[in-house]
Amino acid sequence: MAQIHHRTCHICEANCGVLVETEGRPGSRVVLSIKGDPDNPLSRGHICPKATALEDLQNDPDRLRRPQKRIGNAWHEISWETALREIGTRTRAILARDPASSATYIGNPNAHSYGNALNAHHLTKALGTKNQFSASTVDQMPHHVANLRMYGHAGMFGIPDIDRTQTLIIIGGNPMASNGSVWTVPDFRNRVRALKARGGQLVVIDPRRTETAKIADRHLFIHPSTDLYFLIALLKAVLARQPAAPIADYITGLDEVAALLGRFDDETCCAAAGVSPVAVDWLADRLTSGPAALYGRLGIATQRRGTLNAWLIALINIAAGQLDREGGTVFPVPALDTLAMLPRGSMGKYTSRVSGHPSALGEFPAAALAEEIETEGPGQIKALFVVAGNPVLSTPNGPRLDAALATLDLMVSVDMYRNATSRRAHYILPPTGPLERDHYGLFLLPMAVRNVAVYSQPTFEKEDPAARHDWEILRALAEAISGKPVQEPTPREALDGLLQSGPYAVSLAEVEAAPSGLDFGPPQAGVLPGRLRSDDQTVTCAVPSFLEALAAVELPQALSSEGKLTLIGRRHVRTNNSWLANSHRLTKGPERCTLMIHPGDAAMLGIDDGAMATVRSISGAVTLRAEVTDDMMPGTVSIPHGWGHDLPGMAMAVARAHAGVSVNALTESAALDPLSGNAALSGVQVEIEPAAA
Ligand SMILES: Nc1nc2c(c(=O)[nH]1)N[C@H]1C(S)=C(S)[C@@H](COP(=O)(O)OP(=O)(O)OC[C@H]3O[C@@H](n4cnc5c(=O)[nH]c(N)nc54)[C@H](O)[C@@H]3O)O[C@H]1N2
Ligand SMILES: Nc1nc2c(c(=O)[nH]1)N[C@H]1C(S)=C(S)[C@@H](COP(=O)(O)OP(=O)(O)OC[C@H]3O[C@@H](n4cnc5c(=O)[nH]c(N)nc54)[C@H](O)[C@@H]3O)O[C@H]1N2
Ligand code: SF4
Ligand SMILES: [Mo]
């Protein structure tokens, strides 16, 4: 009999509500359809093409269902008991030789699994390692560092109040493709429609005329990695105006920052960024008149000055009088308050062995993982545990990391595919399928445009009773390594407790009684003072380390790229980083891993639309098809990340047929934001030439 299950799609940060229609008997149910849930208070029926891929993932014959062990190049299916026992023994032997020789890499899907979030520390504790790496340092770490320094908690994100603003300015984000990031904003397109219907405007600042730019009222091109200069000019212009609302007295130090800006000449800053001073004035007017919000994302974070960018964006919202204001930048009060659950975050607690990188939130830069494996001496990484990550494709100079992984004494991947990274593992431990697990948007709902609580039951029972959820694998690994049982409530029990002690004091049972979600309304203005975690209960504008870095910023020069082009990334609505590449439905259609290049640049280089081109950087070279388009800013080219699925030993047949090339063969492991350790994935200097077809 057909049945409808309410679920949250956990693939991206939007956390859309879906209705999964299934048929069959327990143990042999099949999916009939996956549709948007119109009653979900957050997503209101919206879904994107990826939601239906939940079924493809669930049914994918290439998805691993049993532990795999590699001996040489041959893979063998083994039992959970054997896998865990062998991993425990091998890990203990490695740690007996050098207790500091293990490491973890925690990938992006961990942010979409509350079970992982609540259990990953068991593994790190059992390993006793300071070598912690994650996808955060190829992503949002600059935002965390700015949050920590300004508000006193790394997890304290302000978000644009899109449903009540009159001006939304997006710099370095493309929510039409990504569906939002560090901002849970499903149904972005209709929210923008409503913004326009009430006379508001969307402005996009991006080196590419993106899908979001195409629905915007205005799009401004900006030269990659020059955002800092643009933001300085904009902050100065905002400071020269009356703020839209008085700046609260718990916000300190803005004058101290302002005093440092005098040495930057506005026109030179604008020229360096390629943005006209007229546009800066217009933006400053909009920011200081009605409700307005400036939002920056991945494009401003994956730069050498990512943290300064994130900080300046917050300062602009503050100086415009838009912080903690309705229609400005607001602070959600989530039903499960991660601020109460998580430590504030620490900076520089440890120093990395090889290059002396300070840790951020206890993590070293993912870009430094390869050198920590390659470089001999005490503390050299010999055993690596990768949990839901694909760093060979997702971190800078992936081929270098790939070669380093091949030298490890032990590598374990907790993953559902034998992909670019896990093919190097000695053991792959696969979790239950995506429809066999429960879900709560632990890290995402605290950044949502409405305060909601929504919980999903598993849609299917475990296909194989012996299968384990990720959190069960993490605990079992910890037990196998330490020899000690992990005795703690289940994630579900913990969730119930966290909700009950949360701001709305709801039980999990109450949340479950509303299958489309409980709605606590839009984020309210005026909550910030009560949520600040800084010791002095202020918002700190004048962060000493940021001021120092700003004072050291060289004055902008006329851009001299010596004939080189600048490479940026992109996302497509039918991909999710590297890991939906084996979905039949999502890979259909035109080739997507292309080199986007402006017609003028293409003509100069003799590259025709659809012809092959070779792109070279100091790290490596790739050859791919050119897509000539005036959506690109002249001098700038774009290649999406998460491709390159044709490495030997991978077992993803669909992905192999649409392999593409890895942009991270071109990015550099030495290019980092020193304040956060984040990789500078964007703004890579490249040379391009026609290639034989
Ligand atoms: N050049 C360039 N590089 C980038 C980016 C860019 O824009 N440009 N973006 C960066 C960003 S923002 C991010 S977040 C990182 C992502 O970096 P990673 O997290 O390292 O990579 P993903 O491609 O997200 O791979 C996720 C892995 O988890 C597995 N997986 C998926 N779901 C589950 C699950 O439920 N359980 C388990 N155990 N495994 C699962 C998948 O099979 C895949 O192997 O990439 C970064 N890299
Ligand atoms: N469909 C889809 N959705 C996803 C993902 C996916 O892979 N596919 N990944 C998810 C993940 S892990 C994340 S972190 C989010 C990311 O979400 P977004 O931040 O929205 O990610 P992008 O689409 O990469 O947008 C970054 C934008 O920055 C621009 N950019 C590049 N360099 C610069 C620069 O120097 N300056 C400025 N101003 N802009 C620049 C790029 O052109 C691009 O439009 O998306 C999530 N959602
Ligand atoms: S936008 Fe698409 S992938 Fe993201 S949660 Fe919604 S349906 Fe899932
Ligand atoms: Mo990400």
Side-chain angles (χ1 to χ4, degrees), residues 137-486:
T137 50
V138 283
D139 188 351
Q140 83 286 5
M141 193 58 92
H143 295 273
H144 287 309
V145 175
N147 294 342
L148 173 63
R149 295 300 198 204
M150 297 184 76
Y151 310 127
H153 198 295
M156 183 149 173
F157 283 92
I159 57 158
D161 191 6
I162 184 171
D163 292 338
R164 292 176 295 187
T165 195
Q166 287 298 104
T167 305
L168 173 59
I169 307 169
I170 298 183
I171 179 164
N174 184 13
M176 281 297 289
S178 70
N179 287 290
S181 184
V182 301
W183 182 25
T184 302
V185 58
D187 202 17
F188 176 79
R189 184 197 290 266
N190 280 318
R191 294 182 195 277
V192 170
R193 279 197 186 119
L195 164 71
K196 293 181 176 199
R198 60 179 185 267
Q201 299 213 7
L202 170 67
V203 183
V204 171
I205 305 165
D206 201 293
R208 180 166 78 89
R209 188 181 303 115
T210 59
E211 295 77 1
T212 308
K214 286 179 183 167
I215 65 158
D217 298 277
R218 284 176 168 74
H219 168 231
L220 305 171
F221 279 124
I222 185 166
H223 289 301
S225 301
T226 62
D227 301 76
L228 184 71
Y229 297 123
F230 161 75
L231 292 168
I232 288 172
L234 183 56
L235 178 56
K236 287 175 77 178
V238 167
L239 284 166
R241 288 162 171 78
Q242 281 295 323
I247 298 170
D249 54 10
Y250 61 82
I251 301 179
T252 65
L254 193 56
D255 294 348
E256 236 178 288
V257 183
L260 278 185
L261 302 176
R263 74 187 181 95
F264 295 95
D265 172 65
D266 301 346
E267 289 204 9
T268 320
C269 282
C270 288
V275 178
S276 93
V278 177
V280 170
D281 276 333
W282 182 86
L283 290 167
D285 284 340
R286 291 289 306 194
L287 278 163
T288 51
S289 35
L294 172 64
Y295 159 84
R297 194 56 253 316
L298 197 75
I300 61 94
T302 48
Q303 297 185 15
R304 288 177 200 260
R305 296 196 182 110
T307 303
L308 290 184
N309 289 338
W311 173 55
L312 280 165
I313 288 167
L315 291 178
I316 290 167
N317 286 316
I318 288 170
Q322 302 287 1
L323 198 72
D324 195 25
R325 175 177 188 234
E326 192 171 302
T329 291
V330 287
F331 293 83
V333 178
L336 194 166
D337 198 352
T338 38
L339 294 192
M341 180 190 118
L342 297 170
R344 290 175 178 185
S346 66
M347 295 300 299
K349 197 163 163 194
Y350 312 117
T351 304
S352 76
R353 182 180 63 104
V354 178
S355 290
H357 296 297
S359 63
L361 314 192
E363 295 183 19
F364 294 131
L369 177 56
E371 67 181 21
E372 292 293 338
I373 300 173
E374 291 160 354
T375 313
E376 286 179 16
Q380 180 184 12
I381 296 172
K382 295 284 186 187
L384 175 68
F385 290 76
V386 179
V387 183
N390 194 0
V392 166
L393 297 186
S394 62
T395 65
N397 203 341
R400 175 180 171 189
L401 177 64
D402 185 42
L405 295 181
T407 68
L408 288 165
D409 289 347
L410 175 66
M411 177 172 155
V412 176
S413 276
V414 181
D415 209 292
M416 59 214 195
Y417 284 114
R418 197 202 311 153
N419 62 18
T421 299
S422 59
R423 76 194 228 280
R424 291 297 193 194
H426 300 94
Y427 298 88
I428 307 178
L429 305 179
T432 44
L435 296 176
E436 296 166 33
R437 47 181 271 200
D438 68 344
H439 179 76
Y440 186 87
L442 179 84
F443 288 137
L444 291 322
L445 297 180
M447 299 184 286
V449 293
R450 286 190 83 82
N451 294 315
V452 302
V454 49
Y455 172 80
S456 314
Q457 298 268 5
T459 307
F460 292 151
E461 53 273 46
K462 287 179 180 175
E463 213 171 66
D464 167 3
R468 299 184 181 215
H469 298 304
D470 273 307
W471 67 269
E472 294 175 310
I473 300 173
L474 288 166
R475 288 188 181 188
L477 279 172
E479 290 173 340
I481 293 163
S482 70
K484 293 187 207 119
V486 174

Side-chain angles (χ1 to χ4, degrees), residues 354-622:
V354 178
S355 290
H357 296 297
S359 63
L361 314 192
E363 295 183 19
F364 294 131
L369 177 56
E371 67 181 21
E372 292 293 338
I373 300 173
E374 291 160 354
T375 313
E376 286 179 16
Q380 180 184 12
I381 296 172
K382 295 284 186 187
L384 175 68
F385 290 76
V386 179
V387 183
N390 194 0
V392 166
L393 297 186
S394 62
T395 65
N397 203 341
R400 175 180 171 189
L401 177 64
D402 185 42
L405 295 181
T407 68
L408 288 165
D409 289 347
L410 175 66
M411 177 172 155
V412 176
S413 276
V414 181
D415 209 292
M416 59 214 195
Y417 284 114
R418 197 202 311 153
N419 62 18
T421 299
S422 59
R423 76 194 228 280
R424 291 297 193 194
H426 300 94
Y427 298 88
I428 307 178
L429 305 179
T432 44
L435 296 176
E436 296 166 33
R437 47 181 271 200
D438 68 344
H439 179 76
Y440 186 87
L442 179 84
F443 288 137
L444 291 322
L445 297 180
M447 299 184 286
V449 293
R450 286 190 83 82
N451 294 315
V452 302
V454 49
Y455 172 80
S456 314
Q457 298 268 5
T459 307
F460 292 151
E461 53 273 46
K462 287 179 180 175
E463 213 171 66
D464 167 3
R468 299 184 181 215
H469 298 304
D470 273 307
W471 67 269
E472 294 175 310
I473 300 173
L474 288 166
R475 288 188 181 188
L477 279 172
E479 290 173 340
I481 293 163
S482 70
K484 293 187 207 119
V486 174
Q487 280 161 331
E488 266 197 20
T490 64
R492 209 184 120 88
E493 288 160 353
L495 178 63
D496 185 30
L498 289 163
L499 284 166
Q500 295 206 41
S501 62
Y504 308 101
V506 284
S507 66
L508 182 55
E510 288 170 85
V511 175
E512 286 191 272
S516 296
L518 276 182
D519 187 11
F520 304 103
Q524 297 298 315
V527 303
L528 181 56
R531 291 187 65 71
L532 284 175
R533 290 293 190 278
S534 47
D535 292 332
D536 56 4
Q537 295 293 298
T538 66
V539 173
T540 307
C541 297
V543 178
S545 55
F546 299 177
L547 293 177
E548 203 181 303
L550 182 64
V553 165
E554 64 275 27
L555 295 173
Q557 319 244 313
L559 283 180
S560 95
S561 51
E562 288 154 16
K564 293 205 169 128
L565 292 153
T566 309
L567 173 67
I568 62 168
R570 69 175 187 272
R571 285 174 156 70
H572 190 279
V573 74
R574 298 174 74 88
T575 66
N576 195 44
N577 298 339
S578 74
W579 62 272
L580 294 181
N582 218 48
S583 154
H584 281 281
R585 262 180 286 206
L586 292 180
T587 44
K588 274 193 312 221
E591 195 172 339
R592 293 196 188 89
C593 184
T594 58
L595 172 75
M596 287 189 175
I597 182 168
H598 186 269
D601 293 325
M604 288 301 291
L605 296 167
I607 293 171
D608 295 329
D609 186 35
M612 300 304 280
T614 297
V615 185
R616 223 177 285 282
S617 74
I618 63 163
S619 300
V622 297

